[in-house]
Structure formats: C-alpha cells, structure tokens
Amino acid sequence: MIIVLLGPPGAGKGTQADRLSGRLGIPKIATGDVLRAAVRDGTKRGLEAKSYMDRGDLVPDSVILGILQDVMTSPATKKGAILDGAVRTVPQAEGLEATLGEIGEKVDRVLLFDVDDDELVKRLSTRTVCEGCQTPYMGREPGTRCEKCGGRLVRRKDDEPEAVRNRLEVYRRQTEPVIDWYRGHNQKVLKIDADAPVDEVTSRALEALGKTGKREAGSGKRGGGK
Ligand code: AP5
C-alpha cells in the first residue's frame, strides 16, 4: 500500500508516519529526513538542498523526483511506503505518478492532516528532534537524549520563527494545490482533524484507512505479501 501524507509543517506527519509504519508494517519515507541526512553527510544533494531548507523554502523538484525514483524502485519499498512530506508540488505529484506507473504501482491513499496555524506555530517553537533517528519531541530541552536511540536532541534551524512563517506561506502557495490535484485524479483525500492527542490522531488515521485491526503488511504488486 502506498500512502501519501499531506499537511502543513508541524501537523504531525512525521509522528504519525512512524506510528502508521509500525502498525501497517510498511516503511516510512520522509524526504525531509533524507535531505537532512544528505546535508549531514555533505553529499552533492545535501549541499544543493541546505540553503533552501534553512530558509524554509522547498528544494527543487528535480532533487525530490530523484529521491522518489530511487526509493520507490528500491526493494525496501516493495511492500509499499508511507510517504511523509514527499509530495509538495503538483510537478512532484505528477512525477511520482509517472515513476509508480513504470513499476505497475499507484498511490492508494492520501491522508491530509489538518491543524490550525496557532497550534502549528506552538508545536514548532517548542520542538526538539533527535540528531540521530529524527524522532521529534515536545517540551524537551536541546542537549538532552533521545528515548529511542540515545542521540542528542537539537532545535531545527527551520523551526526559527522567520523560517516557520515562510514554511507556512510556502505550504499554502505550493503544496495546497496538490490536494486538488489528487482530487482531480480520482483520488479521495482523507482529511484528519489532527488537533488532538497523538494516540487519538493515530486512531483517526487508521480508521480513515480502514485499518483498525491488527498489524498487517502491505501487498504491493512487486511481491509484498503474495
Ligand atoms: P520536513 O522535515 O518534512 O518538514 P515539514 O513538512 O515542515 O514538517 P515537520 O517535520 O516540521 O512537521 P511534521 O508535520 O512532520 O510534524 P511532527 O510530527 O514533526 O521538511 C523539511 C524541509 O525539507 C522542507 O521545508 C523543505 O525545504 C525540504 N523538503 C522536504 N520534502 C520536500 C519536498 N517534497 N519538496 C521540496 N522540499 C522538501 O510534529 C511537530 C511537533 O508537534 C513535534 O514536536 C511533535 O512531537 C508534536 N506533535 C505531533 N503530533 C502532535 C499532537 N497530536 N499533539 C501535540 N503535539 C504533537
């Protein structure tokens, strides 16, 4: 199953992608995490992306389409994927559709996490993330340690107020049109009220996906579960 997660910065896409990945047994692919790893490793892709990310702008479509091509044709995603923030422009939605078409796949579900701006700003201004595994935390000080992997918690540069304002504007201008693009391509967009406790949002997402039962693996056409 291939699930696209949409929603503004701070809506909880990363938090819910981890939980859905555990429940559904399919990997989370977060382009933000892939790009931050590339920046840390000093790769060509990372060097190209860094200044866009620090300002809160989107990195060029060509970079994202390269990542999507790599991950979606890799054995790691043969059972499907939860795509966290991986589709933020109409050309990216078109490019993903083309890549998936080449391997006989398609997007199965689109989830839209909805949270109002005041709550988003509050979440991002108090967030720290693990330098190692990228797990986000609320109300934990930079320099303390991650519960999952022991990595150091840091503030993200793009969680500074000016970058957050820009990210919200960029979301309205460049990413919201993706919602209508999916609707126009016969894809129901499942809107989740994500201004609720984390467990409740997970339940709502699973319910919207029709997956309220036990953990289950996806069943992609490339061999998963068949
Ligand atoms: P990315 O890392 O994906 O950032 P984002 O989309 O702005 O999303 P965030 O990670 O800020 O928020 P989230 O929705 O994942 O929320 P989270 O779970 O962390 O991308 C970074 C940058 O990379 C982009 O700006 C761009 O430059 C580039 N990029 C990435 N993909 C791209 C693409 N496809 N095209 C072009 N450029 C791209 O939660 C936020 C906080 O709230 C956390 O502290 C969390 O603990 C807390 N929280 C979560 N859920 C709840 C809840 N229900 N109640 C209370 N608190 C909650």
Side-chain angles (χ1 to χ4, degrees), residues 126-129 137-145 152-155:
T126 55
R127 171 170 66 177
T128 47
V129 295
Y137 291 90
M138 284 271 278
R140 296 274 302 268
E141 289 301 313
T144 55
R145 295 282 160 181
R152 203 166 59 98
L153 304 191
V154 294
R155 294 291 320 274

Side-chain angles (χ1 to χ4, degrees), residues 50-67:
K50 185 175 185 320
S51 60
Y52 295 96
M53 294 175 78
D54 286 349
R55 287 192 302 272
D57 284 333
L58 297 183
V59 306
D61 288 336
S62 56
V63 174
I64 300 300
L65 291 173
I67 295 172

Side-chain angles (χ1 to χ4, degrees), residues 7-16 30-33 35-36 49 52-54 56-61 64 84-89 92 119 123-124 126-129 136-139 156 158-159 167 194-199 201:
K13 302 180 297 295
T15 302
Q16 296 301 328
T31 37
D33 292 351
L35 291 167
R36 276 184 291 277
Y52 295 96
M53 294 175 78
D54 286 349
D57 284 333
L58 297 183
V59 306
D61 288 336
I64 300 300
D84 163 12
V87 185
R88 299 190 200 217
T89 66
Q92 290 176 17
E119 172 69 12
R123 288 184 187 181
L124 295 178
T126 55
R127 171 170 66 177
T128 47
V129 295
Y137 291 90
M138 284 271 278
R156 272 170 49 173
D158 62 351
D159 281 347
R167 285 159 70 198
D195 193 355
V198 171
D199 285 345
V201 178

Side-chain angles (χ1 to χ4, degrees), residues 173-224:
R173 197 172 61 244
Q174 293 183 264
T175 307
E176 279 189 347
V178 173
I179 300 168
D180 280 339
W181 187 90
Y182 275 116
R183 288 185 177 135
H185 284 72
N186 290 327
Q187 184 74 58
K188 206 163 149 192
V189 175
L190 306 163
K191 190 168 169 178
I192 314 286
D193 176 357
D195 193 355
V198 171
D199 285 345
E200 174 61 26
V201 178
T202 307
S203 298
R204 290 176 188 178
L206 287 167
E207 196 174 323
L209 292 168
K211 303 277 184 190
T212 46
K214 289 196 292 263
R215 183 181 188 277
E216 51 191 297
S219 59
K221 294 186 188 76
R222 286 177 293 152

Side-chain angles (χ1 to χ4, degrees), residues 63-85:
V63 174
I64 300 300
L65 291 173
I67 295 172
L68 288 173
Q69 173 81 32
D70 291 350
V71 295
M72 295 316 299
T73 55
S74 130
T77 58
K78 71 179 181 192
K79 290 183 179 173
I82 297 171
L83 297 175
D84 163 12

Side-chain angles (χ1 to χ4, degrees), residues 1 6 70 157:
M1 175 178 266
L6 299 176
D70 291 350
K157 194 155 184 196

